[in-house]
Amino acid sequence: MAVAVVLALTVAPQADASTVSEPKRPNIIFFLVDDMSADLLQYMDTVRGLAHDGTTFTDYYVADSLCCPSRASMFTGQFPHNTGVRTNQGYDRGGHRAFKKHEGRTYAASLHQAGYRTGYLGKYINEYPAVDGYRVPVGWDEWHVTAGGGYNEFKYQLTRYIKEESGGKRPIDASGGKYLVDQLGQRAVGFIERSREYAPGEPFFLQVSPFSPHNRVNVKPGDKEPRFPPARRDRPKNRFPAGQFPHGDCGGPDCGTIDVATALPAFNEDTADKPSWVRRTPIGPKLVKKLREDFRDRIRMVQSVDDMVERVLSALTDEEKQNTYVVFTSDNGFHLGQHRLLRGKSTAYDHDVRVPLLVKRPATGQRGDFATSAIAQNVDLFATFLDMAGLGKATRDSRDGRSLLPLIQGQKVTGWRDAALIEHVRPNPNTPGEPDPDADAIKKGNSRAPSYSAVRTAGELYVEYESDPKPEYYNTVTDPHEESNDPGNARTADLGKVLDGLKGCGRPGAVDCWTAAHLH
């Protein structure tokens, strides 16, 4: 890492030790949404505004485009093959059953131990609280977590636990009626206000994790409620009507006005060169119309997220704004017809794994709108939060990721990673327990990706499938939308070696993941 050193020409008088105070540690607000693809960001004015005197990561990739494994990697700073959390369900190497052993080693546990007042709101880990009830994990002073029904946004249970008021009791659940995203915004403001009361002068860490824009579960034909349910105020027909958003030509007269110049990249493209699991006949006009409606409703859904972010940030005092980092990202992306893939995620294509990451710096920090193309991953968030809090380097760098704080601060960093690891285990849709909330995506059509491991560099995507001897390769410089598969490309040999090092990195006897992420 390159470090700039400025030498003063004059020497200030030495201050008395009794008058020197420690720098005030910053607050951290972390907004983590669910299934938000990068194409939705353009419709979120407040969230895009975080880039003002903030940092935009243009090449941020999740390690697994599936809710539970992705969140586990954020919490722990480790890739899915090291957390052991591979799916959403406990009977299938995933869910809360697989994750709960890590709860004592998350960023929340470290921050709480360091004196931060912490609060979690919204969606936690899949299958909570089915495993062992309404237990508050280590490290959280407030716990407002959905215990059921959150995906439909209106009929849900939401716990309420405030350490200073609970007397040691477990959280209780209360039924919801208000749109869930709005409820979370209200409770987030309450957390900030209580932090001033219960921990004056101390920093706080607040994580707000709405389900939006994830689809409802168990959608049935003829349901009146949209598959992607917006808030009531965002449902008028003139609210983002058909034709005002990018999507591909549906090939029929009843598709509405479509600006082909801004069509969703790779929508309904010819998939003859893709692996067998992707190949599909063209999506017909009737289904394209449904997908366009879904995309419109996803745009409408994120309006409430944008409102929530504005509401929470408006609750900060001027002094708090001067000392607060605001982080916004998604656990994974989503596809709606790209490469003829029906509704879903879990692929290694950019629309599923490359998601927004924006970080607003404290108002007293560096001014300017920074953007970085450094390859960042969700395994970096653990180290980043600890670095923001001023915790030790040994703790920050002991896992698979690295702190993004130097990049956030606009520093020139040398020796950064060259490759992102993306890995996925195909879920078993027939395991017992709670239904997988992504069952619609993994049971139907061609959106159920096989197990794979992949490498994403600044200009290439290389994928190896367990079920296919041929790799998948794209030059993303000449083919940014990953439409022309070239499995015989000479680069596949070198990238295969890089992937071999990444697939088992961090395990006993193997190279560490940071070293493995560098091309040789």
Side-chain angles (χ1 to χ4, degrees):
M1 180 185 303
V3 179
V5 179
V6 179
L7 299 178
L9 298 179
T10 58
V11 179
Q14 186 173 1
D16 187 289
S18 62
T19 66
V20 177
S21 59
E22 290 291 328
K24 191 172 182 180
R25 293 177 296 172
N27 305 309
I28 304 168
I29 300 177
F30 178 29
F31 294 104
L32 174 63
V33 295
D34 195 354
D35 283 14
M36 181 182 149
S37 47
D39 45 41
L40 296 175
L41 182 62
Q42 62 183 306
Y43 302 100
M44 305 173 73
D45 293 341
T46 300
V47 172
R48 286 190 297 111
L50 298 177
H52 179 59
D53 288 334
T55 303
T56 301
F57 287 81
T58 60
D59 291 79
Y60 172 74
Y61 300 93
V62 296
D64 188 336
S65 182
L66 191 63
C67 299
C68 195
S70 179
R71 289 165 185 257
S73 289
M74 294 181 198
F75 274 124
T76 64
Q78 292 182 297
F79 287 109
H81 71 261
N82 287 328
T83 65
V85 182
R86 307 312 303 262
T87 72
N88 288 338
Q89 293 185 284
Y91 290 96
D92 190 27
R93 293 180 289 172
H96 191 227
R97 189 183 304 272
F99 177 73
K100 66 176 183 176
K101 65 184 178 184
H102 296 295
E103 288 180 328
R105 52 193 299 272
T106 66
Y107 48 70
S110 297
L111 292 170
H112 187 269
Q113 187 175 21
Y116 272 71
R117 187 172 188 272
T118 56
Y120 195 99
L121 291 80
K123 178 179 178 178
Y124 180 47
I125 291 289
N126 295 78
E127 298 190 318
Y128 176 89
V131 177
D132 51 2
Y134 299 112
R135 180 180 54 82
V136 179
V138 174
W140 298 106
D141 292 305
E142 293 205 21
W143 188 248
H144 305 263
V145 172
T146 44
Y151 291 98
N152 66 30
E153 296 289 346
F154 288 101
K155 297 179 181 179
Y156 53 84
Q157 283 76 46
L158 189 64
T159 67
R160 180 178 176 84
Y161 171 83
I162 301 169
K163 182 179 179 180
E164 295 87 351
E165 301 174 5
S166 72
K169 297 178 181 178
R170 287 193 171 200
I172 59 172
D173 68 284
S175 297
K178 178 183 292 188
Y179 193 66
L180 180 56
V181 179
D182 296 341
Q183 180 74 266
L184 296 179
Q186 178 179 323
R187 294 205 185 188
V189 171
F191 169 86
I192 293 171
E193 293 171 345
R194 285 187 292 272
S195 294
R196 297 180 193 132
E197 177 184 357
Y198 293 130
E202 295 299 318
F204 64 76
F205 176 90
L206 169 63
Q207 180 163 344
V208 189
S209 299
F211 286 74
S212 179
H214 197 291
N215 56 276
R216 290 191 300 118
V217 297
N218 300 321
V219 177
K220 296 179 175 58
D223 280 357
K224 294 182 179 180
E225 186 71 3
R227 180 184 295 269
F228 296 90
R232 303 295 184 198
R233 63 183 177 275
D234 294 316
R235 295 192 185 190
K237 290 184 178 181
N238 63 350
R239 187 72 160 142
F240 299 104
Q244 286 193 3
F245 52 88
H247 222 294
D249 187 356
C250 64
D254 299 322
C255 298
T257 302
I258 300 172
D259 181 1
V260 179
T262 58
L264 200 66
F267 183 84
N268 217 356
E269 65 126 341
D270 187 344
T271 55
D273 64 336
K274 293 285 191 294
S276 58
W277 71 271
V278 182
R279 294 175 209 154
R280 182 186 172 96
T281 57
I283 304 173
K286 184 176 180 181
L287 182 52
V288 168
K289 183 178 180 180
K290 290 290 186 183
L291 294 177
R292 293 179 70 251
E293 291 173 355
D294 289 344
F295 193 68
R296 175 199 60 199
D297 285 335
R298 282 170 57 80
I299 294 171
R300 291 172 171 175
M301 283 189 82
V302 297
Q303 301 314 299
S304 62
V305 174
D306 209 49
D307 293 343
M308 179 197 70
V309 172
E310 181 178 20
R311 179 177 188 177
V312 174
L313 299 187
S314 296
L316 298 174
T317 65
D318 289 340
E319 182 180 359
E320 288 167 341
K321 290 176 182 177
Q322 294 176 1
N323 198 41
T324 299
Y325 284 99
V326 182
V327 180
F328 181 95
T329 191
S330 177
D331 57 1
N332 49 254
F334 202 79
H335 54 255
L336 276 173
Q338 298 98 315
H339 315 300
R340 297 179 183 167
L341 291 162
L342 302 185
R343 308 172 183 98
K345 47 196 172 186
S346 79
T347 78
Y349 301 131
D350 276 9
H351 45 62
D352 288 2
V353 298
R354 189 179 190 172
V355 297
L357 174 62
L358 298 95
V359 183
K360 178 82 168 178
R361 297 184 298 275
T364 55
Q366 301 92 331
R367 306 306 296 268
D369 304 354
F370 301 158
T372 175
S373 59
I375 294 176
Q377 292 212 251
N378 54 346
V379 294
D380 297 329
L381 295 181
F382 173 89
T384 301
F385 293 145
L386 270 56
D387 202 3
M388 288 174 173
L391 301 186
K393 179 177 173 57
T395 303
R396 298 197 310 267
D397 294 349
S398 62
R399 301 187 185 176
D400 299 342
R402 287 296 183 271
S403 172
L404 302 175
L405 188 57
L407 297 168
I408 293 168
Q409 295 174 336
Q411 297 180 22
K412 182 178 180 181
V413 178
T414 59
W416 194 255
R417 69 161 65 86
D418 302 305
L421 170 64
I422 303 160
E423 52 187 1
H424 177 72
V425 169
R426 179 173 180 163
N428 180 352
N430 300 314
T431 59
E434 291 187 1
D436 189 326
D438 297 311
D440 286 351
I442 65 176
K443 282 185 177 181
K444 299 178 181 179
N446 60 344
S447 287
R448 190 178 172 206
S451 299
Y452 66 82
S453 298
V455 167
R456 183 65 162 88
T457 71
E460 297 167 302
L461 171 64
Y462 173 79
V463 191
E464 291 182 358
Y465 295 97
E466 288 187 6
S467 58
D468 193 333
K470 282 188 177 182
E472 194 173 10
Y473 173 86
Y474 301 91
N475 181 325
T476 57
V477 176
T478 59
D479 180 23
H481 306 310
E482 300 158 338
E483 297 179 90
S484 299
N485 181 25
D486 184 12
N489 192 286
R491 281 286 296 156
T492 60
D494 289 339
L495 292 174
K497 292 177 183 177
V498 174
L499 184 55
D500 285 342
L502 281 167
K503 285 192 292 188
C505 70
R507 290 175 175 168
V511 67
D512 69 274
C513 293
W514 185 250
T515 300
H518 290 76
L519 303 179
H520 302 291

